[in-house]
Amino acid sequence: MWSVVLTPLFFTTTGCDNKKATADDDLSMLVDSDSIAAEEEQAVMPKGADELFDDFFFNFAGNKRLQFKRIQFPLPVYKNGEKVKQLTQNQWEMEYFFMKDGYYTLIFDNAEQMEIVNDTSVVHVVLEKIFLDEKNVKQYVFDNVGGEWMLTAIHTNEMYQNKNASFLDFYQKFATDSAFQAQSINEFVTFTAPDPDDDFSTITGTITPEQWPMFKPGLIPEGVIYNVIYGQQYASDNQKFFVVRGVANGLEIQMTFRKKGLNWKLVKFNS
């Protein structure tokens, strides 16, 4: 391995432009709440958007009329496995999820699991809204019913019950505690980043923990993060592939963490 010292790289929500275009490309106005209010009633579900969950979801989260149409009311709500209530249509409030943030996060065991995002055979998806500070996870359950995606239930559970509990507990501290973050950098971290001298190229190298402040991504979400379970099975307790993905702005940051002994360490990141 070789170590590099380059001009600091700053990763912002403008990102690169080589990310595959998806149905969310027309939703950049969602960052502006006034634009949301003006456009949501006029938005129309694109033909074929139900084939992929992501295509459906970006419309669901940005179109109030569509959102109410795609919820199975009365909607059952569970807390720690027990049904606590049913929401009627009049009780539902428009949920924009991460659309106003401009980015969302995903958790996989490895990079290969990301392929499931484009699997048209997926018919059951769970979107997790993870409250790191409050230590609980709100799961929105979606099922493809008769060719149309529908929100069918909401489950709220304590974070320790989650399959990624160990990593989530670690990440909450990693994202908020700079001293802990420095301690959680591997001896050598492999990275790939845009070449500051060539917009169409990338550079690859390794950095040490001392160099991390110069190269770390500028966007490390904290407080509330998301995860989408498309059907990926979490079998590893020792490795997590964490993705920060932009909404209609090309941002993509990928971080690989491995557990070494009792401690999680960042071993690789791409942007």
Side-chain angles (χ1 to χ4, degrees):
M1 293 185 176
W2 50 280
S3 180
V4 297
V5 179
L6 298 174
T7 302
L9 304 180
F10 297 93
F11 305 104
T12 68
T13 54
T14 55
C16 302
D17 295 326
N18 58 355
K19 183 176 179 289
K20 180 180 177 182
T22 60
D24 64 316
D25 289 339
D26 295 326
L27 295 174
S28 58
M29 73 284 190
L30 290 173
V31 179
D32 187 306
S33 59
D34 293 333
S35 297
I36 293 173
E39 299 293 337
E40 63 189 5
E41 294 296 342
Q42 301 177 18
V44 178
M45 184 75 157
K47 185 177 180 180
D50 276 305
E51 291 185 7
L52 284 176
F53 176 77
D54 281 10
D55 291 345
F56 152 76
F57 183 77
F58 287 124
N59 286 278
F60 177 84
N63 181 345
K64 184 175 182 178
R65 183 176 298 173
L66 174 66
Q67 186 169 120
F68 276 74
K69 181 181 178 182
R70 292 300 187 90
I71 299 175
Q72 285 190 345
F73 293 111
L75 182 69
V77 178
Y78 300 84
K79 186 172 183 178
N80 295 321
E82 294 186 8
K83 187 175 179 179
V84 293
K85 59 183 175 181
Q86 290 191 128
L87 294 176
T88 65
Q89 189 174 47
N90 290 335
Q91 293 172 312
W92 181 259
E93 295 184 5
M94 177 67 179
E95 172 63 77
Y96 293 105
F97 300 94
F98 47 72
M99 301 303 277
K100 295 180 182 180
D101 297 329
Y103 62 87
Y104 60 105
T105 50
L106 298 164
I107 302 172
F108 302 95
D109 276 357
N110 50 63
E112 289 72 24
Q113 283 189 343
M114 291 180 64
E115 296 299 320
I116 198 171
V117 174
N118 299 314
D119 187 349
T120 57
S121 68
V122 172
V123 294
H124 177 80
V125 171
V126 178
L127 184 141
E128 296 183 319
K129 188 173 185 179
I130 303 165
F131 299 87
L132 294 174
D133 293 335
E134 299 173 20
K135 304 293 185 184
N136 63 57
V137 180
K138 193 171 187 178
Q139 297 181 320
Y140 296 83
V141 180
F142 292 87
D143 291 288
N144 195 301
V145 181
E148 293 186 343
W149 283 101
M150 303 287 294
L151 175 62
T152 58
I154 296 176
H155 293 257
T156 299
N157 299 292
E158 300 296 327
M159 198 168 77
Y160 76 87
Q161 298 174 309
N162 194 273
K163 291 184 178 180
N164 293 312
S166 172
F167 175 74
L168 293 174
D169 190 55
F170 154 79
Y171 192 79
Q172 190 273 338
K173 196 170 182 180
F174 181 84
T176 58
D177 186 329
S178 58
F180 179 77
Q181 188 179 112
Q183 296 169 9
S184 302
I185 306 302
N186 197 44
E187 181 181 4
F188 293 101
V189 177
T190 303
F191 78 94
T192 300
D195 187 337
D197 298 321
D198 186 344
D199 292 339
F200 300 98
S201 299
T202 59
I203 55 175
T204 300
T206 60
I207 61 172
T208 63
E210 293 75 22
Q211 294 171 308
W212 168 247
M214 298 171 58
F215 294 92
K216 70 178 182 179
L219 179 62
I220 299 180
E222 58 184 79
V224 177
I225 63 174
Y226 288 84
N227 183 38
V228 185
I229 304 174
Y230 300 89
Q232 66 266 32
Q233 299 296 315
Y234 294 112
S236 174
D237 293 326
N238 299 312
Q239 177 172 288
K240 294 301 170 187
F241 188 73
F242 187 77
V243 180
V244 181
R245 180 169 289 174
V247 176
N249 58 23
L251 173 71
E252 179 107 354
I253 299 170
Q254 303 173 357
M255 293 181 278
T256 302
F257 296 87
R258 292 198 185 113
K259 205 168 188 180
K260 299 198 171 185
L262 299 176
N263 303 312
W264 286 95
K265 297 283 187 178
L266 175 70
V267 298
K268 181 180 180 180
F269 72 92
N270 300 335
S271 62

